[in-house]
Amino acid sequence: MKLGLLLHNNTLFPHFTPSPPSISPQFFFKYPTFTGGKNLVLRVHSCCSKGESVQVVAESMDVKNELNKKLYEQIEPYATGFLKVSDVHTIYWEQSGNPSGHPVVFLHGGPGGGTSPSNRRFFDPEFYRIILFDQRGAGKSTPHACLEENTTWDLIKDIEKLREHLEIPEWQVFGGSWGSTLALAYSQTHPDKVTGIVLRGIFLLRKKEIDWFYEGGAAAIYPEAWEPFRDLIPENERDCFVKAYHKRLNSDDLNTQYEAARAWTKWEMMTAHLIPNEETIKKGDSDEFSLAFARIENHYFVNKGFFSTDSHLLDNIDKIRHINAVIVQGRYDCCCPMMSAWDLHKAWPEADFKGHSDK
């Protein structure tokens, strides 16, 4: 379940689509007269003449649901680079869209998933200055699949280093799945640098969420995908699959790492969409992608996200309560179940909550 906005006959329609969200019009800014809450100010540019804007108060509108599976056209970056963020790690970054536009940083999932060119298509390239980067050990960042100095708090420092490197005073934050986890953690740490937050497929990295997906809960929905994941682990180690995989993903034998990485990744890729996506599933066949994805993801889960408590993100909502935000969640999201978005909504009713019955 993803979020987009469509202009039709000069009326603003929120729409919900199984494809990634295309974000237009432009919204979720700090606004001089806005104090937070449900009257979310949206700025609409694409229906207006140049230099004009329209303010729309979302709660006061009689909006309609409309299905739209289209994204923005594929674009190429106008700038790319590598930023050394520690003695160990160097991260890849890129910018696309409008160099003078409103900056938005895209936080990818996993952790360990890396970015892809399609991520640029979430955003209106005429309005947004789109920043993508690969988190430590993922994608084009180096060293590949490295767990050393790789924690949530390291990633938050990297986001700030990248913002400063690109000379961006403040930006909008967009994240889904693990990206929503990192978006919340970053925004709670640096709320003064965030103009707005878009979250989709909420993941709060709590024990009950990890148990649901990796200890047999989601297996009830995808038994054919679960069995290969389960069967790699001997019966005497099945009391905790996350720990059993951790042992293999950190084995001294690279073939053992690859075997575990493929099984771990294939399980998630086969459950990531309501309708199976063959292109996504094939990622599990790539040793390079799987190793980073599985090792880094498992590393974070074994360490409970490096948070001090299981409810860390919910406990710190007051730090971002004033920021314009939207939460979008698919009812049938198996990887990031609805309960997490609902818990976040209850803790943060000021954010605009969009729960829907497709993904």
Side-chain angles (χ1 to χ4, degrees), residues 74-81 92-105 117 120 123-132 140 162-163 165-168 171:
Q74 185 63 266
I75 57 174
E76 295 300 317
Y78 64 79
T80 64
Y92 167 80
W93 60 267
E94 65 174 57
Q95 296 189 89
S96 57
N98 182 353
S100 300
H102 184 77
V104 57
V105 60
R120 306 168 196 146
F123 310 98
D124 182 345
E126 294 184 3
F127 182 83
Y128 280 106
R129 177 183 176 183
I130 306 160
I131 297 97
L132 274 58
K140 298 177 183 178
L162 180 59
R163 184 188 62 78
H165 176 72
L166 298 177
E167 299 181 345
I168 297 173
W171 50 11

Short mmCIF file of all heavy atoms in Angstrom, two decimals, residues 74-81 92-105 117 120 123-132 140 162-163 165-168 171:
data_model
loop_
_atom_site.label_atom_id
_atom_site.label_comp_id
_atom_site.label_asym_id
_atom_site.label_seq_id
_atom_site.Cartn_x
_atom_site.Cartn_y
_atom_site.Cartn_z
N GLN A 74 10.87 7.65 -15.63
CA GLN A 74 12.22 7.36 -15.17
C GLN A 74 13.13 8.55 -15.46
O GLN A 74 13.05 9.15 -16.54
CB GLN A 74 12.75 6.11 -15.87
CG GLN A 74 14.11 5.66 -15.38
CD GLN A 74 14.10 5.25 -13.92
OE1 GLN A 74 14.39 6.07 -13.05
NE2 GLN A 74 13.74 4.01 -13.65
N ILE A 75 13.95 8.90 -14.51
CA ILE A 75 14.91 10.00 -14.68
C ILE A 75 16.28 9.53 -14.25
O ILE A 75 16.43 8.54 -13.53
CB ILE A 75 14.50 11.25 -13.87
CG1 ILE A 75 14.35 10.90 -12.37
CG2 ILE A 75 13.22 11.87 -14.40
CD1 ILE A 75 14.09 12.10 -11.48
N GLU A 76 17.29 10.25 -14.70
CA GLU A 76 18.67 9.96 -14.33
C GLU A 76 19.17 11.00 -13.33
O GLU A 76 18.70 12.15 -13.33
CB GLU A 76 19.56 9.95 -15.57
CG GLU A 76 19.24 8.84 -16.56
CD GLU A 76 19.39 7.46 -15.94
OE1 GLU A 76 20.39 7.25 -15.20
OE2 GLU A 76 18.52 6.60 -16.18
N PRO A 77 20.10 10.64 -12.48
CA PRO A 77 20.65 11.61 -11.52
C PRO A 77 21.41 12.72 -12.25
O PRO A 77 22.02 12.48 -13.29
CB PRO A 77 21.61 10.78 -10.66
CG PRO A 77 21.28 9.36 -10.94
CD PRO A 77 20.71 9.31 -12.32
N TYR A 78 21.36 13.91 -11.69
CA TYR A 78 22.20 14.98 -12.23
C TYR A 78 23.51 15.10 -11.45
O TYR A 78 24.43 15.79 -11.87
CB TYR A 78 21.46 16.32 -12.23
CG TYR A 78 21.08 16.86 -10.88
CD1 TYR A 78 22.01 17.50 -10.05
CD2 TYR A 78 19.77 16.77 -10.42
CE1 TYR A 78 21.66 18.01 -8.81
CE2 TYR A 78 19.40 17.28 -9.18
CZ TYR A 78 20.34 17.90 -8.38
OH TYR A 78 19.99 18.40 -7.16
N ALA A 79 23.61 14.38 -10.32
CA ALA A 79 24.85 14.37 -9.54
C ALA A 79 24.93 13.07 -8.75
O ALA A 79 23.92 12.58 -8.24
CB ALA A 79 24.91 15.57 -8.59
N THR A 80 26.11 12.49 -8.68
CA THR A 80 26.34 11.29 -7.87
C THR A 80 27.69 11.45 -7.17
O THR A 80 28.53 12.26 -7.58
CB THR A 80 26.37 10.01 -8.73
OG1 THR A 80 27.48 10.08 -9.63
CG2 THR A 80 25.08 9.84 -9.50
N GLY A 81 27.89 10.67 -6.14
CA GLY A 81 29.16 10.74 -5.45
C GLY A 81 29.27 9.73 -4.34
O GLY A 81 28.34 8.96 -4.07
N TYR A 92 27.36 5.70 -0.97
CA TYR A 92 26.99 6.23 -2.27
C TYR A 92 25.79 7.13 -2.12
O TYR A 92 24.86 6.84 -1.38
CB TYR A 92 26.65 5.08 -3.23
CG TYR A 92 25.96 5.53 -4.49
CD1 TYR A 92 26.67 6.07 -5.55
CD2 TYR A 92 24.57 5.44 -4.61
CE1 TYR A 92 26.03 6.50 -6.71
CE2 TYR A 92 23.92 5.85 -5.76
CZ TYR A 92 24.65 6.39 -6.81
OH TYR A 92 24.01 6.82 -7.94
N TRP A 93 25.78 8.26 -2.85
CA TRP A 93 24.63 9.16 -2.87
C TRP A 93 24.38 9.66 -4.28
O TRP A 93 25.26 9.63 -5.13
CB TRP A 93 24.82 10.34 -1.92
CG TRP A 93 26.01 11.22 -2.24
CD1 TRP A 93 27.27 11.13 -1.74
CD2 TRP A 93 26.04 12.31 -3.19
NE1 TRP A 93 28.09 12.08 -2.29
CE2 TRP A 93 27.36 12.83 -3.18
CE3 TRP A 93 25.10 12.89 -4.03
CZ2 TRP A 93 27.74 13.90 -3.99
CZ3 TRP A 93 25.48 13.96 -4.84
CH2 TRP A 93 26.79 14.45 -4.79
N GLU A 94 23.14 10.11 -4.51
CA GLU A 94 22.80 10.68 -5.80
C GLU A 94 21.70 11.71 -5.63
O GLU A 94 20.95 11.69 -4.65
CB GLU A 94 22.35 9.61 -6.79
CG GLU A 94 21.06 8.92 -6.38
CD GLU A 94 20.54 7.96 -7.44
OE1 GLU A 94 21.30 7.06 -7.81
OE2 GLU A 94 19.39 8.14 -7.88
N GLN A 95 21.63 12.64 -6.60
CA GLN A 95 20.57 13.64 -6.62
C GLN A 95 19.92 13.64 -8.00
O GLN A 95 20.60 13.52 -9.02
CB GLN A 95 21.11 15.04 -6.34
CG GLN A 95 21.70 15.21 -4.95
CD GLN A 95 22.03 16.67 -4.66
OE1 GLN A 95 21.20 17.42 -4.17
NE2 GLN A 95 23.26 17.07 -4.96
N SER A 96 18.61 13.78 -8.02
CA SER A 96 17.87 13.87 -9.28
C SER A 96 16.71 14.85 -9.10
O SER A 96 16.49 15.37 -8.01
CB SER A 96 17.35 12.48 -9.69
OG SER A 96 16.54 11.92 -8.67
N GLY A 97 16.00 15.09 -10.18
CA GLY A 97 14.89 16.04 -10.11
C GLY A 97 15.35 17.46 -10.31
O GLY A 97 16.24 17.74 -11.12
N ASN A 98 14.76 18.37 -9.55
CA ASN A 98 15.02 19.81 -9.68
C ASN A 98 16.11 20.24 -8.71
O ASN A 98 15.89 20.22 -7.49
CB ASN A 98 13.72 20.57 -9.41
CG ASN A 98 13.86 22.07 -9.56
OD1 ASN A 98 14.96 22.59 -9.76
ND2 ASN A 98 12.74 22.77 -9.48
N PRO A 99 17.27 20.67 -9.19
CA PRO A 99 18.36 21.09 -8.28
C PRO A 99 17.96 22.21 -7.33
O PRO A 99 18.55 22.35 -6.26
CB PRO A 99 19.47 21.53 -9.24
CG PRO A 99 19.17 20.84 -10.52
CD PRO A 99 17.68 20.76 -10.61
N SER A 100 16.97 23.01 -7.74
CA SER A 100 16.50 24.11 -6.90
C SER A 100 15.19 23.78 -6.20
O SER A 100 14.56 24.66 -5.60
CB SER A 100 16.32 25.37 -7.76
OG SER A 100 17.52 25.75 -8.38
N GLY A 101 14.77 22.52 -6.28
CA GLY A 101 13.49 22.12 -5.72
C GLY A 101 13.53 21.87 -4.23
O GLY A 101 14.56 22.02 -3.57
N HIS A 102 12.37 21.44 -3.69
CA HIS A 102 12.28 21.14 -2.27
C HIS A 102 12.99 19.81 -2.00
O HIS A 102 12.65 18.79 -2.59
CB HIS A 102 10.82 21.04 -1.84
CG HIS A 102 10.66 20.83 -0.37
ND1 HIS A 102 10.82 21.84 0.55
CD2 HIS A 102 10.40 19.72 0.36
CE1 HIS A 102 10.65 21.37 1.77
NE2 HIS A 102 10.40 20.08 1.68
N PRO A 103 13.98 19.80 -1.12
CA PRO A 103 14.75 18.56 -0.91
C PRO A 103 13.97 17.50 -0.14
O PRO A 103 13.28 17.80 0.84
CB PRO A 103 15.96 19.05 -0.10
CG PRO A 103 15.53 20.32 0.54
CD PRO A 103 14.52 20.94 -0.36
N VAL A 104 14.09 16.28 -0.62
CA VAL A 104 13.50 15.12 0.06
C VAL A 104 14.54 14.01 0.06
O VAL A 104 15.18 13.75 -0.95
CB VAL A 104 12.20 14.66 -0.62
CG1 VAL A 104 12.39 14.32 -2.09
CG2 VAL A 104 11.58 13.47 0.13
N VAL A 105 14.73 13.38 1.21
CA VAL A 105 15.67 12.27 1.30
C VAL A 105 14.88 10.97 1.40
O VAL A 105 13.95 10.85 2.20
CB VAL A 105 16.64 12.43 2.49
CG1 VAL A 105 15.92 12.49 3.83
CG2 VAL A 105 17.69 11.32 2.49
N PRO A 117 16.97 2.60 -9.14
CA PRO A 117 16.53 3.73 -9.96
C PRO A 117 15.04 4.02 -9.84
O PRO A 117 14.61 5.18 -9.95
CB PRO A 117 16.91 3.30 -11.37
CG PRO A 117 18.09 2.40 -11.18
CD PRO A 117 17.79 1.65 -9.90
N ARG A 120 13.48 6.87 -7.56
CA ARG A 120 13.38 8.27 -7.98
C ARG A 120 11.97 8.61 -8.46
O ARG A 120 11.55 9.76 -8.43
CB ARG A 120 14.37 8.56 -9.11
CG ARG A 120 15.80 8.19 -8.81
CD ARG A 120 16.64 8.23 -10.09
NE ARG A 120 17.91 7.52 -9.91
CZ ARG A 120 18.54 6.83 -10.85
NH1 ARG A 120 18.02 6.76 -12.08
NH2 ARG A 120 19.68 6.22 -10.59
N PHE A 123 8.60 10.64 -6.78
CA PHE A 123 8.51 12.07 -6.54
C PHE A 123 8.39 12.87 -7.84
O PHE A 123 8.98 12.50 -8.86
CB PHE A 123 9.76 12.55 -5.77
CG PHE A 123 10.05 11.74 -4.56
CD1 PHE A 123 11.01 10.72 -4.60
CD2 PHE A 123 9.38 11.96 -3.36
CE1 PHE A 123 11.28 9.95 -3.48
CE2 PHE A 123 9.65 11.19 -2.24
CZ PHE A 123 10.60 10.18 -2.29
N ASP A 124 7.68 13.98 -7.76
CA ASP A 124 7.54 14.90 -8.89
C ASP A 124 8.91 15.55 -9.15
O ASP A 124 9.38 16.36 -8.35
CB ASP A 124 6.51 15.97 -8.53
CG ASP A 124 6.26 16.96 -9.66
OD1 ASP A 124 7.07 17.01 -10.60
OD2 ASP A 124 5.27 17.70 -9.57
N PRO A 125 9.56 15.21 -10.26
CA PRO A 125 10.92 15.70 -10.49
C PRO A 125 10.99 17.19 -10.79
O PRO A 125 12.06 17.79 -10.74
CB PRO A 125 11.40 14.88 -11.69
CG PRO A 125 10.15 14.52 -12.41
CD PRO A 125 9.10 14.33 -11.35
N GLU A 126 9.85 17.81 -11.14
CA GLU A 126 9.85 19.25 -11.38
C GLU A 126 9.84 20.04 -10.08
O GLU A 126 10.27 21.19 -10.05
CB GLU A 126 8.65 19.64 -12.24
CG GLU A 126 8.70 19.07 -13.65
CD GLU A 126 7.56 19.57 -14.50
OE1 GLU A 126 6.76 20.42 -14.01
OE2 GLU A 126 7.44 19.12 -15.66
N PHE A 127 9.34 19.41 -9.04
CA PHE A 127 9.24 20.12 -7.76
C PHE A 127 10.33 19.71 -6.77
O PHE A 127 10.89 20.54 -6.06
CB PHE A 127 7.88 19.88 -7.12
CG PHE A 127 7.70 20.62 -5.82
CD1 PHE A 127 7.31 21.95 -5.81
CD2 PHE A 127 7.94 20.00 -4.61
CE1 PHE A 127 7.16 22.64 -4.62
CE2 PHE A 127 7.81 20.68 -3.41
CZ PHE A 127 7.41 22.01 -3.41
N TYR A 128 10.65 18.42 -6.74
CA TYR A 128 11.54 17.90 -5.70
C TYR A 128 13.00 17.83 -6.13
O TYR A 128 13.32 17.49 -7.27
CB TYR A 128 11.11 16.50 -5.27
CG TYR A 128 9.96 16.48 -4.30
CD1 TYR A 128 8.69 16.09 -4.72
CD2 TYR A 128 10.14 16.84 -2.97
CE1 TYR A 128 7.63 16.06 -3.83
CE2 TYR A 128 9.08 16.82 -2.08
CZ TYR A 128 7.84 16.43 -2.51
OH TYR A 128 6.79 16.42 -1.63
N ARG A 129 13.86 18.12 -5.20
CA ARG A 129 15.28 17.78 -5.27
C ARG A 129 15.40 16.45 -4.55
O ARG A 129 15.31 16.37 -3.32
CB ARG A 129 16.11 18.87 -4.59
CG ARG A 129 17.60 18.60 -4.54
CD ARG A 129 18.31 19.71 -3.78
NE ARG A 129 19.74 19.45 -3.60
CZ ARG A 129 20.54 20.26 -2.91
NH1 ARG A 129 20.07 21.36 -2.34
NH2 ARG A 129 21.83 19.95 -2.79
N ILE A 130 15.60 15.37 -5.28
CA ILE A 130 15.46 14.01 -4.76
C ILE A 130 16.83 13.46 -4.39
O ILE A 130 17.71 13.32 -5.24
CB ILE A 130 14.80 13.11 -5.82
CG1 ILE A 130 13.47 13.73 -6.29
CG2 ILE A 130 14.60 11.70 -5.28
CD1 ILE A 130 13.00 13.20 -7.63
N ILE A 131 16.99 13.11 -3.12
CA ILE A 131 18.27 12.58 -2.64
C ILE A 131 18.09 11.12 -2.24
O ILE A 131 17.25 10.79 -1.40
CB ILE A 131 18.80 13.38 -1.44
CG1 ILE A 131 19.09 14.83 -1.84
CG2 ILE A 131 20.07 12.74 -0.88
CD1 ILE A 131 17.99 15.79 -1.51
N LEU A 132 18.85 10.25 -2.87
CA LEU A 132 18.90 8.84 -2.52
C LEU A 132 20.31 8.52 -2.05
O LEU A 132 21.28 9.10 -2.53
CB LEU A 132 18.58 7.95 -3.72
CG LEU A 132 17.13 7.62 -4.06
CD1 LEU A 132 16.31 8.87 -4.30
CD2 LEU A 132 17.07 6.69 -5.27
N LYS A 140 25.72 0.34 -3.44
CA LYS A 140 27.04 0.72 -3.93
C LYS A 140 27.96 1.20 -2.82
O LYS A 140 29.13 1.53 -3.09
CB LYS A 140 26.89 1.83 -4.99
CG LYS A 140 26.11 1.40 -6.22
CD LYS A 140 25.95 2.57 -7.19
CE LYS A 140 25.10 2.18 -8.39
NZ LYS A 140 24.90 3.34 -9.30
N LEU A 162 25.51 13.68 5.26
CA LEU A 162 25.12 13.86 3.87
C LEU A 162 24.37 15.18 3.68
O LEU A 162 24.61 15.91 2.71
CB LEU A 162 24.25 12.68 3.41
CG LEU A 162 23.76 12.73 1.97
CD1 LEU A 162 24.93 12.77 0.99
CD2 LEU A 162 22.86 11.53 1.68
N ARG A 163 23.45 15.49 4.60
CA ARG A 163 22.71 16.75 4.52
C ARG A 163 23.69 17.94 4.52
O ARG A 163 23.56 18.87 3.71
CB ARG A 163 21.73 16.86 5.68
CG ARG A 163 20.86 18.11 5.64
CD ARG A 163 20.03 18.26 6.91
NE ARG A 163 20.88 18.42 8.08
CZ ARG A 163 21.49 19.57 8.41
NH1 ARG A 163 21.37 20.65 7.66
NH2 ARG A 163 22.23 19.62 9.50
N HIS A 165 26.90 17.84 3.76
CA HIS A 165 27.75 17.77 2.56
C HIS A 165 27.05 18.39 1.35
O HIS A 165 27.69 19.06 0.53
CB HIS A 165 28.09 16.30 2.27
CG HIS A 165 28.87 16.09 1.01
ND1 HIS A 165 30.20 16.45 0.88
CD2 HIS A 165 28.50 15.56 -0.20
CE1 HIS A 165 30.62 16.15 -0.34
NE2 HIS A 165 29.61 15.61 -1.01
N LEU A 166 25.74 18.18 1.26
CA LEU A 166 24.96 18.71 0.14
C LEU A 166 24.45 20.12 0.41
O LEU A 166 23.75 20.69 -0.43
CB LEU A 166 23.79 17.77 -0.17
CG LEU A 166 24.16 16.35 -0.59
CD1 LEU A 166 22.92 15.50 -0.79
CD2 LEU A 166 25.01 16.36 -1.87
N GLU A 167 24.80 20.66 1.57
CA GLU A 167 24.44 22.03 1.96
C GLU A 167 22.92 22.24 1.92
O GLU A 167 22.41 23.22 1.36
CB GLU A 167 25.16 23.04 1.07
CG GLU A 167 26.67 22.95 1.19
CD GLU A 167 27.40 23.97 0.32
OE1 GLU A 167 26.76 24.56 -0.58
OE2 GLU A 167 28.60 24.21 0.57
N ILE A 168 22.21 21.31 2.53
CA ILE A 168 20.75 21.38 2.62
C ILE A 168 20.38 21.75 4.05
O ILE A 168 20.66 20.99 4.99
CB ILE A 168 20.12 20.03 2.23
CG1 ILE A 168 20.44 19.70 0.78
CG2 ILE A 168 18.62 20.05 2.47
CD1 ILE A 168 20.01 18.31 0.35
N TRP A 171 15.11 19.14 5.24
CA TRP A 171 14.52 18.38 4.15
C TRP A 171 13.35 17.53 4.62
O TRP A 171 13.14 17.30 5.81
CB TRP A 171 15.56 17.51 3.45
CG TRP A 171 16.43 16.64 4.34
CD1 TRP A 171 16.29 16.35 5.68
CD2 TRP A 171 17.62 15.95 3.92
NE1 TRP A 171 17.29 15.54 6.11
CE2 TRP A 171 18.13 15.27 5.06
CE3 TRP A 171 18.30 15.83 2.73
CZ2 TRP A 171 19.29 14.49 5.02
CZ3 TRP A 171 19.44 15.06 2.68
CH2 TRP A 171 19.93 14.40 3.81
#
